[in-house]
Amino acid sequence: MKRFRILSLLSVLAFIMLFTACGGEKKAAEEKKAEPLEIKVSYIFKENEPTHIAMKEATDAINQRLEGQVKFVLFPNGQLPVYKDGLQQVVRGADFIDVDDLSYIGDYVPEFTALAGPMLYQNYDEYVKLMHSDLVADLKKKAEEKGIKIISLDFIFGFRSIISDKEIKEPADLKGMKIRVPASKLFIDTLNAMGASAVPMSFSETISALQQNVIDGLEGSYATNYLTKTYELRKNMSLTKHFLGTAGVYISTKVWDKLTDEQKAIIQEEFDKAAVNNNKNLVELDKELVKNLEDAGVKINEVNLPEFAKLVEPIYKNIGITEEFYKHLMDEMEKIRTEQK
């Protein structure tokens, strides 16, 4: 009898241990299941730049609305891969968002390079309207076939123009001037086509090059001019608007497909809202920066845009698009401008 009791007790203890173990495993599985999907968001913008502020606005709202489900973590200032390397992370299916210029998608869908081409836009509204056209909707589908889901293309951070001492109005005024550009073939070809002598150079070397007159000027935005105090060295800004600085938000189709319809809708809604706020704030920031520059003695002048635009047309033939697409693109831009009048 005593042995029977011992065996019975051991059986009960074994059952309890088994039940506890199963419960622990179930609890661990539930906790693991409850962990949110963490998605890293990478870009080159610094914490004080409008695009970072817009990204924080969007991701804070998403994290709050999808708490416990999805968590976006920001990595500004190039802490993680950006540019081509960043987009490769997306294509490979990493839990990763790349916030970058449209031209990088051009490595997968060449027509996107044209959307970042020279002298294409005259104002911010033209750009946003093109991004929401049927033309670009078709390109987005092509990007998805390459594994790239485009959440947004709407983030703008300003036009790039010529900063120098000489006032530029016509292409002849720019002839032979040594202008610093980033080490990008598209930038180099564009400035050379406009009549300048493009000098590829890292920005860290640019200020000293201006001080020593190694270069005559550079190209950049109002923010570039003011925040880097370039205005102390060059007192003229000619609004060639040869490039519009923009950024898109890209995620892997594999990651996107893991999300529920509700999660997708919330993410889309918050990035759309942040883009509208970003671009609205940019208009006000431009006004503020123009006033600050003029107060600092900078003269800001308009240029003969149609003449400069003619000079850069051949560049579109060298970026991998067909004549048919180029014509379609120009027709779409003309349609947008007609509707704006």
Side-chain angles (χ1 to χ4, degrees), residues 35-310:
E35 289 179 4
L37 171 64
E38 184 173 294
I39 300 174
K40 298 177 175 65
V41 184
S42 176
Y43 46 84
I44 197 66
F45 306 102
K46 297 179 176 62
E47 286 89 339
N48 64 345
E49 294 189 75
T51 308
H52 166 76
I53 295 169
M55 289 299 120
K56 189 172 188 307
E57 174 190 333
T59 56
D60 281 353
I62 293 166
N63 288 346
Q64 182 177 4
R65 294 179 68 182
L66 296 179
E67 185 175 2
Q69 303 174 48
V70 180
K71 181 181 180 182
F72 286 179
V73 183
L74 299 181
F75 290 87
N77 204 21
Q79 298 175 58
L80 294 181
V82 291
Y83 304 143
K84 290 186 177 183
D85 293 338
L87 199 55
Q88 282 178 359
Q89 292 289 318
V90 170
V91 173
R92 289 170 183 165
D95 295 335
F96 189 93
I97 281 179
D98 180 42
V99 181
D100 254 317
D101 184 86
L102 281 66
S103 62
Y104 292 102
I105 308 182
D107 289 344
Y108 302 89
V109 182
E111 291 87 350
F112 273 100
T113 306
L115 302 185
M119 312 291 291
L120 187 58
Y121 311 103
Q122 296 175 5
N123 57 60
Y124 300 154
D125 287 343
E126 287 182 0
Y127 172 79
V128 174
K129 286 185 178 180
L130 182 64
M131 294 306 106
H132 291 268
S133 67
D134 291 340
L135 174 69
V136 174
D138 289 340
L139 297 183
K140 287 181 178 179
K141 291 176 183 176
K142 290 184 179 181
E144 289 187 19
E145 292 171 3
K146 303 292 184 178
I148 305 166
K149 164 64 182 177
I150 298 173
I151 297 174
S152 175
L153 293 171
D154 292 357
F155 292 87
I156 303 174
F157 50 93
F159 280 108
R160 302 177 75 101
S161 294
I162 302 295
I163 303 167
S164 63
D165 269 338
K166 184 179 179 181
E167 182 177 319
I168 309 297
K169 289 190 174 181
E170 303 287 341
D173 299 328
L174 194 55
K175 188 172 178 59
M177 289 184 65
K178 292 177 286 185
I179 303 297
R180 179 268 172 186
V181 297
S184 157
K185 186 177 186 304
L186 186 59
F187 275 76
I188 295 167
D189 290 349
T190 296
L191 268 293
N192 284 338
M194 290 168 63
S197 177
V199 181
M201 180 184 295
S202 68
F203 200 86
S204 61
E205 300 173 339
T206 300
I207 298 301
S208 62
L210 288 170
Q211 291 170 334
Q212 298 168 29
N213 294 314
V214 173
I215 53 176
D216 298 307
L218 68 157
E219 52 81 54
S221 65
Y222 293 132
T224 301
N225 197 346
Y226 187 72
L227 297 178
T228 63
K229 296 187 176 182
T230 301
Y231 63 85
E232 294 179 351
L233 300 171
R234 297 293 184 272
K235 293 297 185 181
N236 208 297
M237 191 162 184
S238 303
L239 302 182
T240 50
K241 297 181 179 179
H242 49 274
F243 284 119
L244 177 60
T246 64
V249 180
Y250 320 125
I251 191 170
S252 168
T253 52
K254 294 177 183 177
V255 178
W256 187 252
D257 289 342
K258 287 193 289 187
L259 303 172
T260 67
D261 289 344
E262 182 184 6
Q263 291 168 344
K264 291 175 183 177
I266 288 172
I267 292 168
Q268 188 68 61
E269 180 184 334
E270 294 300 339
F271 274 112
D272 287 346
K273 190 189 302 182
V276 170
N277 291 339
N278 175 80
N279 298 344
K280 181 180 178 181
N281 293 338
L282 179 62
V283 172
E284 296 305 312
L285 179 61
D286 280 351
K287 293 176 184 177
E288 181 183 335
L289 290 171
V290 166
K291 185 180 185 305
N292 290 344
L293 289 168
E294 289 179 336
D295 288 347
V298 175
K299 182 179 179 182
I300 297 174
N301 64 280
E302 301 290 338
V303 307
N304 188 341
L305 286 175
E307 288 301 311
F308 279 106
K310 287 178 186 176

